[in-house]
């Protein structure tokens, strides 16, 4: 593989006060054609047995690898149903221009918001707040 099809990484690494280790290795690149011309570059996951085409590599140990190899999950994948409902309530409260936190009471209709939109968001807010409060009573 030509050197232009690789990215060279050089960095130092240590674990819990041990001696620094110098790491120097190359990561292969792949390309795909873009619809309007040109090409897009991708990393090839260097983990043994993987080789997936990825946009981002993570340093989860001594070497870089893709999120599947390091078994990384998105924050939303670790949320409970209550956490998800609280996040949705806070998102609605931000859109309604109210203070964050479902226990902070309700505010007024934001200036310029249609009444139908306000009533729809208000009803959704109250439904989610009831759902959260019921989950705490169980």
């Amino acid at each position: 593989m030509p050197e232009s099809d690789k990215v060279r990484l050089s960095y130092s690494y240590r674990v819990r006060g041990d001696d620094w280790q110098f790491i120097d290795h190359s990561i292969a690149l792949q390309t795909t054609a873009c619809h309007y011309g040109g090409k897009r570059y991708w990393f090839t996951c260097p983990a043994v047995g993987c080789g997936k085409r990825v946009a981002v590599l993570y340093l989860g140990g001594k070497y870089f690898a893709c999120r599947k190899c390091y078994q990384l999950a998105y924050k939303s994948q670790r949320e409970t149903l209550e956490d998800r409902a609280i996040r949705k309530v806070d998102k609605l409260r931000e859109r309604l221009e109210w203070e964050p936190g479902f226990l902070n009471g309700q505010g007024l209709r934001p200036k310029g918001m249609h009444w139908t939109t306000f009533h729809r968001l208000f009803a959704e807010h109250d439904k989610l707040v009831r759902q959260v409060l019921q989950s705490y009573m169980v």
Side-chain angles (χ1 to χ4, degrees):
M1 181 175 291
E3 194 62 35
S4 63
D5 293 343
K6 293 182 180 181
V7 174
R8 183 175 172 197
L9 299 178
S10 298
Y11 55 96
S12 296
Y13 176 82
R14 78 175 183 180
V15 178
R16 296 184 189 95
D18 289 346
D19 291 337
W20 286 96
Q21 297 178 12
F22 182 73
I23 311 283
D24 184 27
H25 65 105
S26 297
I27 296 177
L29 295 175
Q30 298 179 31
T31 58
T32 55
C34 297
H35 290 290
Y36 296 107
K39 55 186 170 182
R40 177 170 178 187
Y41 286 90
W42 302 87
F43 294 112
T44 302
C45 179
V48 176
C50 184
K52 283 182 57 165
R53 181 181 73 194
V54 295
V56 179
L57 292 174
Y58 299 88
L59 184 60
K62 188 174 180 178
Y63 296 102
F64 284 87
C66 69
R67 66 181 307 110
K68 293 269 188 189
C69 291
Y70 279 125
Q71 299 175 349
L72 301 175
Y74 293 103
K75 185 178 177 183
S76 62
Q77 291 175 308
R78 295 184 174 162
E79 282 182 331
T80 64
L81 291 176
E82 294 82 20
D83 292 336
R84 186 164 298 166
I86 290 170
R87 183 173 45 85
K88 286 181 180 181
V89 167
D90 282 340
K91 196 171 181 182
L92 279 173
R93 292 182 72 84
E94 181 180 336
R95 189 158 173 210
L96 289 165
E97 299 175 7
W98 295 352
E99 186 179 355
F102 67 94
L103 295 177
N104 285 327
Q106 297 156 344
L108 304 173
R109 176 183 65 93
K111 183 178 180 181
M113 182 179 280
H114 289 273
W115 278 104
T116 52
T117 303
F118 175 72
H119 289 302
R120 180 176 48 80
L121 295 176
F122 189 89
E124 177 77 15
H125 175 271
D126 282 355
K127 178 182 143 194
L128 288 168
V129 168
R130 281 193 301 275
Q131 181 181 336
V132 171
L133 292 174
Q134 285 176 349
S135 70
Y136 286 134
M137 291 183 188
V138 175

